[in-house]
Amino acid sequence: QKEVEQNSGPLSVPEGAIASLNCTYSDRGSQSFFWYRQYSGKSPELIMFIYSNGDKEDGRFTAQLNKASQYVSLLIRDSQPSDSATYLCAVEPNFGNEKLTFGTGTRLTIIP
Amino acid sequence: DAMVIQNPRYQVTQFGKPVTLSCSQTLNHNVMYWYQQKSSQAPKLLFHYYDKDFNNEADTPDNFQSRRPNTSFCFLDIRSPGLGDAAMYLCATRTGQTLEQFFGPGTRLTVL
């Protein structure tokens, strides 16, 4: 079983709709969770991180964490064509580990 | 602006010809990472430094070496590149107190 799993997509969402990206992880002790956006040929860019169960909102982005279900998601409201990218979920196994485990990413396409 | 810089952005080398990739940061971050990312794959951690303490991943080939002469600079040496080493090489940094990693723009390595 992969440590961090994401649906590779592609996920196609109409412009203006809500895009929902999902990630599950295998290590129940994981503490910190990150979402990165990666445009084709570019490096990952940090969008959000979340440590506590529940929702965390930043502009059009909302991260949701459910540690009991070992599930983290990213919602993008009012999707724009510029949101078309690959979204990487990353998990820090435990505090002080200094390392992230990345999923393979979900490719999101926003359709104008 | 504080940032992570990688040079060169594109590197072409011949099979077996040593190559060095560089990363510098103006963020004064304690931790520096080197990742390898191949197309449609997750970034794969090769090694990282916490200050001068070097941490090698168990599955990083001996062909890959790294140096961190000071806080600002970190180098990735590939002693004898093979065709399978063609990839994007990503440098990332973070402070010792937070968990978020910030990536440089990457170096695209081509092996002929």
Side-chain angles (χ1 to χ4, degrees):
Chain A
Q1 181 187 4
K2 291 182 182 177
E3 295 181 44
V4 179
E5 290 206 50
Q6 297 181 256
N7 188 324
S8 62
L11 175 66
S12 296
V13 173
E15 183 175 356
I18 296 174
S20 178
L21 304 163
N22 303 316
C23 174
T24 58
Y25 58 94
S26 60
D27 185 345
R28 184 171 290 279
S30 297
Q31 299 290 337
S32 310
F33 307 86
F34 303 82
W35 283 100
Y36 285 83
R37 177 176 63 198
Q38 187 172 27
Y39 293 114
S40 181
K42 305 295 185 182
S43 63
E45 174 192 7
L46 181 65
I47 298 176
M48 291 192 70
F49 58 89
I50 187 167
Y51 304 144
S52 304
N53 274 329
D55 294 359
K56 179 181 179 182
E57 186 174 318
D58 184 0
R60 296 187 296 112
F61 299 94
T62 298
Q64 299 175 318
L65 175 61
N66 184 325
K67 289 187 178 180
S69 301
Q70 296 175 237
Y71 174 96
V72 58
S73 65
L74 180 70
L75 302 178
I76 306 174
R77 289 183 299 280
D78 188 23
S79 297
Q80 304 296 310
S82 59
D83 295 327
S84 297
T86 295
Y87 288 80
L88 299 169
C89 173
V91 176
E92 195 218 14
N94 47 67
F95 284 129
N97 184 270
E98 301 168 8
K99 299 190 286 188
L100 296 180
T101 301
F102 284 85
T104 54
T106 297
R107 187 156 57 93
L108 174 66
T109 299
I110 305 301
I111 304 168
Chain B
D1 287 342
M3 56 196 312
V4 182
I5 302 165
Q6 291 188 244
N7 284 303
R9 296 291 309 278
Y10 301 91
Q11 175 74 58
V12 180
T13 190
Q14 292 181 332
F15 182 94
K17 185 174 181 181
V19 66
T20 295
L21 310 181
S22 74
C23 177
S24 63
Q25 51 124 346
T26 61
L27 300 162
N28 204 33
H29 282 176
N30 302 90
V31 193
M32 296 186 76
Y33 303 83
W34 279 106
Y35 290 89
Q36 178 194 65
Q37 188 180 27
K38 297 183 178 180
S39 181
S40 301
Q41 296 186 19
K44 176 181 182 298
L45 182 64
L46 297 173
F47 21 60
H48 74 281
Y49 283 90
Y50 194 121
D51 294 324
K52 286 197 172 292
D53 292 334
F54 176 70
N55 298 272
N56 195 32
E57 293 301 294
D59 57 354
T60 298
D62 292 340
N63 198 25
F64 292 83
Q65 303 287 319
S66 183
R67 296 169 283 137
R68 189 179 185 185
N70 54 52
T71 299
S72 301
F73 285 88
C74 196
F75 299 95
L76 170 61
D77 301 308
I78 308 176
R79 295 191 295 186
S80 182
L83 298 178
D85 297 328
M88 174 79 89
Y89 288 88
L90 298 163
C91 174
T93 74
R94 76 169 180 87
T95 73
Q97 290 75 43
T98 61
L99 298 170
E100 305 94 272
Q101 293 186 21
F102 298 94
F103 284 83
T107 295
R108 172 73 65 185
L109 177 66
T110 300
V111 181
L112 302 177

